[in-house]
């Protein structure tokens, strides 16, 4: 949640972007160990987890809010489609060490929701997918959930779950040629007729506006019932944002896409400009203050002492969750994070 640690050594930009997954996974591991979150799988995907120190309370709380908000939206979408009897697909872009598939498959996110999933597909750089596949191979807690799986290079395919290595910046023709089932491609991983949810957690900000817009437009044009959830930072044109970008540049990481959509209204227009007629966005600050159950806020407040409340709100104000859907406007009502949704204006 905070500007990442500094490194003086210059690195290949793609290597530096890949390594941001380590920051996110270690933050999640810390939040799990402190019992903000319940996730028995993250420690299996983090190298040498026993050697990693806990993160500060501010990072733990931010990680908790991010996870709860996205999980709530994913579960609501799954519940809506399960009620209609429809099989669905989830596509996680830049998934890295994300554990959501295992948490769904084992019922940690509620009931038998995983039964409606026809395909859960993760796409990422080959280096990241290879690392995850190795962890899956050596951990029974992970591979036993998948059943029989075929592994080829940096890709894995089982009956439901699949990982595919891909550079998402060059996505439209690659996605179409490799992933979509057709007469010419009967083994494609995705069926365009199924409701399909696309998860983008801190991915699009590393692309140019043209690249990320092209990606969203492809999903909008290709699938009959696409939905998208985006989580990333925004509004980095103030002093906090400048510090964040300077720290990232010191790690050879740039954010070519972040300034194209500086406000939450811009974030909703990002969808409507690319084929999604309905979209919403909320900052993590607003989610914390208005959409998290007060009992939960009380619980997490007792875990650790937090002295920097103003700093927490400043950080949360610069991250958001947005979502959009196409040809399924009737799912707006249940998809509300437990309260009425409106575009955040804080």
């Amino acid at each position: 949640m905070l500007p990442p640690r500094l490194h003086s050594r210059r690195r290949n930009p793609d290597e530096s972007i890949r390594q941001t997954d380590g920051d996110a996974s270690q933050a999640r591991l810390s939040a799990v160990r402190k019992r903000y979150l319940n996730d028995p799988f993250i420690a299996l995907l983090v190298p040498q987890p026993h050697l990693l120190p806990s993160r500060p309370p501010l990072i733990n709380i931010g990680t908790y809010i991010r996870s709860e908000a996205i999980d709530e939206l994913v579960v609501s979408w799954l519940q809506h489609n399960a009620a209609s009897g429809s099989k669905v697909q989830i596509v996680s872009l830049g998934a890295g060490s994300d554990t959501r598939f295992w948490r769904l498959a084992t019922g940690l996110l509620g009931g038998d929701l995983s039964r409606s999933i026809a395909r859960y597909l993760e796409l990422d750089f080959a280096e990241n997918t290879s690392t995850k596949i190795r962890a899956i191979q050596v951990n029974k807690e992970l591979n036993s959930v998948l059943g029989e799986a075929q592994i080829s290079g940096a890709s894995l395919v089982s009956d439901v779950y699949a990982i595919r290595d891909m550079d998402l910046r060059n996505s439209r023709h690659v996605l179409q040629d490799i992933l979509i089932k057709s007469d010419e491609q009967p083994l494609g991983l995705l069926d365009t007729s199924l409701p399909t949810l696309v998860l983008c957690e801190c991915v699009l900000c590393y692309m140019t506006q043209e690249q990320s817009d092209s990606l969203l437009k492809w999903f909008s044009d290709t699938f009959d019932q696409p939905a998208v959830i985006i989580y990333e930072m925004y509004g980095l044109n103030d002093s906090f944002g400048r510090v964040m970008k300077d720290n990232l540049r010191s790690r050879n990481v740039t954010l070519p896409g972040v300034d194209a959509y500086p406000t939450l209204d811009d974030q909703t227009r990002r969808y409507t400009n690319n084929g999604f007629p309905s979209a919403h966005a909320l900052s993590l600050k607003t989610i914390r203050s208005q959409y998290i159950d007060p009992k939960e806020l009380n619980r997490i407040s007792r875990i650790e002492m937090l002295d920097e409340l103003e700093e927490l709100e400043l950080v949360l104000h610069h991250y958001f969750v947005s979502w959009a859907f196409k040809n399924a406007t009737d799912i707006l009502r249940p998809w509300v994070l437990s309260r009425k949704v409106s575009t955040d204006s804080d």
Side-chain angles (χ1 to χ4, degrees), residues 146-179:
L146 305 185
E148 186 175 348
Q150 296 182 343
I151 298 173
S152 176
S155 298
L156 175 151
V157 179
S158 66
D159 286 345
V160 175
Y161 177 75
I163 307 176
R164 172 80 198 200
D165 60 301
M166 184 174 294
D167 185 340
L168 293 164
R169 294 166 300 189
N170 306 307
S171 56
R172 289 185 68 97
H173 69 281
V174 177
L175 287 165
Q176 186 71 40
D177 292 347
I178 294 177
L179 300 182

Side-chain angles (χ1 to χ4, degrees), residues 17 41 49 84 115 148 191 235 243 271 288 298 311 313 321:
I17 292 171
F41 304 105
S84 66
R115 296 190 178 206
E148 186 175 348
D191 184 337
V243 170
Y271 290 110
R288 176 181 177 272
N298 186 50
E311 185 179 359
E313 293 196 341
V321 176

